[in-house]
């Protein structure tokens, strides 16, 4: 064995240069040895829990490579007999506690526990299996949480907290009882999860998986009374091929359309058509705000996880969110409003399915705002992975399919709608529109390279006539939180802010084929920008079928009809569903109930002092028998806090005097003070 | 008498303020809150979490990790019976059974419905020389027998409420 040179160390006897790697694991992988890991992800903090990356460091013993910094002269062995045995033992122990249901598991084929067991040659488990079998959590339309398959690597916990800045799930309990659960072990639907699904994308096993709607979709496809149409999101066409052995970024739009037709969908439409429509509505809204008619900066609203996040954490910024529905919902409402008459079918029998790279879209489609006469505008949402499974189940040979084209009019798009699927795409598409609409500005620019890139947060300044437009592009909700805080404090000035919850935008969505590298995401993005270049048209305003849609149905951007079909409203949303905080001992049968919001916004506006003063008033006047005071979290009017509800009456910007007066008014009516009777 | 609820909530706010709403002080804050309520009510944990800017799931994780924290209402008198090796060998289980019979409790139901008594076992109190050991709130009793344990509990019942009848 040769001694290591300065700046080098030895890996299995071979000299390797240290070039800024943060830990031995990165260095070993650079040297071409794929050490197994469950809990190491370069974009997350180092956790060191799975112990699979143990290596023999000469003179120091056995150490985890992920949390050992590289040093000149170290001599490392990665596969001694002892280490091989340790690794196999770890996998064996995990399997003993794992609820192995491989053939029927949602992660089968993409499960790292399965593939590592095979790779490490674990062919039997010597321990008595002791799986815990809690009922899987199916409370949300987007995800299934099955802790019986959890190996406690903590990837989901760190992703949710570190990249998304939420922390909806965390470790709880101790020892053999340890589990990753939402707060108070509530179902996921009752906590602050925004359903982005990145936990499921990073989960090495089947503990977190996207929830499938395949059985329902197969059923409607087989029902001759239903007319089933489908829309295809931009990001799907550059990723689906991966499930069939193609390179990430390969554009397979034609094959996907052919497959959808073969599966029995009557019409195939492009969500990018609705994205063109979104560009026009959103840019017009922006120009109106910029002209002095509303709150700036304007935040984009096409990402449903971001919308839910904003509703939970930034209710005071909701007036800044574009009122535009997402392309999925615009197309849903437009198709349901126009197609029945054209095809002479009953609206009830028209079914809209969408193929999305996203799990949060399943939640979005079920929002009550997007229902017409109690019927959802989009009936079912399938992920890219689910569509691939349909193609497999139907036995279609995807790569050999003859390409087919989408149906008109909603299958026609420009490049502007296609690039929506990449972070920065919405901003670029809006610029292509807005710059042409500003009087005196010649808008022949098509590509705005500065909006593209990998950074999670990019600030772009564009000259627009005599003014400068500042656009901020963020992906990942922790970054979105930073930007929102800076906007609130005034530290950041911007005109337009595009937020995508998933890194890289929709191409990195949790419904996409599983991929452990950011390289796949970049290639998918490139696929979208290449598609834009190959299309004849690049600006939403040049989409003549969108324009015809305006002539025939919508009349003009921002019109009454457009508002009915293409826009929406937002509501502040409680983060956790639970009881109000009881503050008085007597049972709540008092005639007057006072609920004081102590949520974050109201707290900052002095809700706590108000609560104390109201309590003092009730105690001093000995009204505890008649007035029930409780603190509550979020009366959903955070921008006008502190908010107090007294029986049915809501007081905004409440002060003690108002509250006392309201209480006295009610008491007066209910039980005239017994002054005269004594 | 425990403080009335409004005052207890005031105290929680004061506890948070005393710790400058510093998330690094979560454990001492939860300890102080538990001193007020004798357990950690869910709504209070959410309030503590939002006040500290922490996700509620993190607070729940900490609260469920340490056996010191209780998530269910607990009695005014918390009886901790040691069942560590020394106490177990010196027959702690008959004491446990006698207390469970007297207070009508089970391994699952640890607190009396009137919230007077909570009966728990602990793994070691570090007083093995006195085995078997019983602790009621902060008071330590050594070399306890089932009869002696019942005697202690009867005294507390009598002291607590002369008007409460035996079936309470």
């Amino acid at each position: 064995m040769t001694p290591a040179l300065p700046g080098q160390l030895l890996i299995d006897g071979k000299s390797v240069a240290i070039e800024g790697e943060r830990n031995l694991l990165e260095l070993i992988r650079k040297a071409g040895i794929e050490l197994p890991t469950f809990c190491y992800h370069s974009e997350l903090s180092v956790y060191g829990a799975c112990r699979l990356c143990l290596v023999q460091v000469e003179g120091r013993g056995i150490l985890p490579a992920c949390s050992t910094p590289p040093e000149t002269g170290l001599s490392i062995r990665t596969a001694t007999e002892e280490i091989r045995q340790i690794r196999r033992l770890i996998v064996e122990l995990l399997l003993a506690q794992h609820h192995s249901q491989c053939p029927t598991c949602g992660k089968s084929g993409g499960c790292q526990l399965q593939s590592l067991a095979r790779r490490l040659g674990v062919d039997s488990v010597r321990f008595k299996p002791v799986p815990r079998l809690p009922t899987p959590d199916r409370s949300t339309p987007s995800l299934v949480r099955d802790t019986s398959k959890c190996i406690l690597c903590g990837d989901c916990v760190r992703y949710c907290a570190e990249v998304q800045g939420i922390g909806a799930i965390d470790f709880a309990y101790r020892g053999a009882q340890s589990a990753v659960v939402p707060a108070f072990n509530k179902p996921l639907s009752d906590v602050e999860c925004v359903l982005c699904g990145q936990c499921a994308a990073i989960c090495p096993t089947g503990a977190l998986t996207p929830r499938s709607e395949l059985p329902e979709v197969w059923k409607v496809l087989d029902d001759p009374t239903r007319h089933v149409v489908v829309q295809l999101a931009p990001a799907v066409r550059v990723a689906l091929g991966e499930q069939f052995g193609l390179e990430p970024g390969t554009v397979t739009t034609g094959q996907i359309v052919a497959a959808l037709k073969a599966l029995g969908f009557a019409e195939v439409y492009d969500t990018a058509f609705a994205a063109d429509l979104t560009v026009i509505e959103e840019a017009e809204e922006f120009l109106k705000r910029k002209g002095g008619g509303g709150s700036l900066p304007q935040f984009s609203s096409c990402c449903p996880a971001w919308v839910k996040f904003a509703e939970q954490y930034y209710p005071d910024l909701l007036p800044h969110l574009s009122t535009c529905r997402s392309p999925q919902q615009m197309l849903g409402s437009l198709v349901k409003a126009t197609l029945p008459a054209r095809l002479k079918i009953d609206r009830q029998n028209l079914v809209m399915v969408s193929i999305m790279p996203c799990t949060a879209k399943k939640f979005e489609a079920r929002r009550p705002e997007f229902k017409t006469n109690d019927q959802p505008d989009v009936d079912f949402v399938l992920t890219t992975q689910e569509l691939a499974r349909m193609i497999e189940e139907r036995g279609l040979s995807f790569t050999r399919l003859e390409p087919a084209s989408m149906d008109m009019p909603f299958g026609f798009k420009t490049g502007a709608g296609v690039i929506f699927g990449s972070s920065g795409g919405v901003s670029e598409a809006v610029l292509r529109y807005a710059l042409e609409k500003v009087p005196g500005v010649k808008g022949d620019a098509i590509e705005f390279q500065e909006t593209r890139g990998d950074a999670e947060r990019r600030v772009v300044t564009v000259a627009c006539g005599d003014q400068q437009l500042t656009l901020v592009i963020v992906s990942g909700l922790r970054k979105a939180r930073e930007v929102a805080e800076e906007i609130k404090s005034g530290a950041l000035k911007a005109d337009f802010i595009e937020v995508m919850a998933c890194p890289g935008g929709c191409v990195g969505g949790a419904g996409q084929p599983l991929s452990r590298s950011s390289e796949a995401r970049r290639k998918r993005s490139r696929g979208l920008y290449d598609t834009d270049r190959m299309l004849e048209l690049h600006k939403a305003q040049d989409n003549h079928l969108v324009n015809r849609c305006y002539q025939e149905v919508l009349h003009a951007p921002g019109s009454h009809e457009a508002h009915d079909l293409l826009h929406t409203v937002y509501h502040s949303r409680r983060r956790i569903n639970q009881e109000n905080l009881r503050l008085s001992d007597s049972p709540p049968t008092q005639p007057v109930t006072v609920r004081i919001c102590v949520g974050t916004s109201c707290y900052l506006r002095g809700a706590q002092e108000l609560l104390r003063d109201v309590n003092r008033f009730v105690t001093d006047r000995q009204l505890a028998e008649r007035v029930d005071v409780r603190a509550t979290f979020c009366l959903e009017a955070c921008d006008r806090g502190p908010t107090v509800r007294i029986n049915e009456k809501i007081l905004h910007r409440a002060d003690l005097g108002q509250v006392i007066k309201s209480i006295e008014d009610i008491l007066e009516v209910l039980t005239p003070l017994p002054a005269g009777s004594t | 008498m425990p403080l009335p609820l409004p005052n207890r909530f005031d105290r929680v706010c004061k506890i948070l303020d005393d710790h400058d709403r510093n998330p690094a002080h979560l454990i001492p804050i939860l300890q102080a809150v538990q001193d007020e309520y004798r357990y950690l009510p869910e709504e209070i944990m959410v309030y503590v979490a939002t006040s500290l800017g922490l996700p509620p799931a993190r607070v729940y994780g900490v609260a469920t990790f340490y056996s010191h924290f209780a998530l269910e209402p607990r009695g005014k008198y918390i009886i901790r019976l040691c069942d560590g090796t020394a106490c177990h060998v010196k027959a702690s289980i008959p004491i446990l059974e006698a207390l469970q019979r007297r207070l009508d409790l089970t391994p699952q139901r640890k607190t009396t419905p009137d919230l007077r008594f909570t009966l728990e076992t602990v793994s070691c109190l570090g007083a093995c020389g006195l085995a078997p050991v019983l602790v009621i709130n902060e008071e330590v009793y050594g070399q306890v027998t089932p009869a002696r344990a019942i005697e202690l509990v009867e005294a507390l019942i009598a002291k607590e409420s002369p008007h409460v009848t035996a079936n309470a």
Side-chain angles (χ1 to χ4, degrees), chain A residues 260-283:
Chain A
L260 289 168
K261 299 243 162 167
L263 289 166
F265 290 99
E267 332 267 332
V268 181
Y269 295 139
D270 203 330
T271 311
F273 170 91
D276 279 342
L277 201 54
T278 309
V279 172
I280 296 175
E281 290 291 328
E282 191 159 353

Side-chain angles (χ1 to χ4, degrees), chain A residues 74-110:
Chain A
L74 291 183
S75 175
I76 295 151
R77 296 180 64 200
T78 63
T80 63
E81 182 54 25
E82 189 181 7
I83 287 171
R84 286 185 55 239
Q85 290 213 5
I86 291 173
R87 278 188 200 136
R88 288 160 62 156
L89 181 64
I90 291 168
V91 173
E92 228 180 304
L93 285 165
L94 287 174
L95 285 173
Q97 220 193 17
H98 182 78
H99 188 209
S100 298
Q101 290 181 304
C102 299
T104 53
C105 176
K107 260 303 185 351
S108 187

Side-chain angles (χ1 to χ4, degrees), chain A residues 460-491:
Chain A
V460 178
T461 320
V462 179
C464 172
D466 49 1
Q467 18 175 357
Q468 295 274 319
L469 286 184
T470 306
L471 291 85
V472 181
I473 296 160
V474 278
S475 64
L477 291 171
R478 189 175 59 90
K479 287 283 164 192
R481 191 190 285 278
E482 275 173 30
V483 168
E485 292 295 338
E486 287 172 34
I487 291 292
K488 277 175 72 173
S489 72

Side-chain angles (χ1 to χ4, degrees), chain A residues 500-542:
Chain A
M500 297 293 157
C502 296
C506 308
V507 287
Q512 297 279 59
L514 293 173
S515 156
R516 319 248 173 244
S517 79
S518 53
E519 189 49 34
R521 228 156 52 206
R522 273 192 288 276
K523 286 181 177 165
R524 292 173 192 161
S525 256
R526 214 172 303 137
L528 289 181
Y529 288 116
D530 288 349
T531 307
D532 171 34
R533 283 191 185 147
M534 285 188 292
L535 287 167
E536 292 78 19
L537 303 171
H538 311 282
K539 296 176 185 169
Q541 61 270 38
D542 298 339

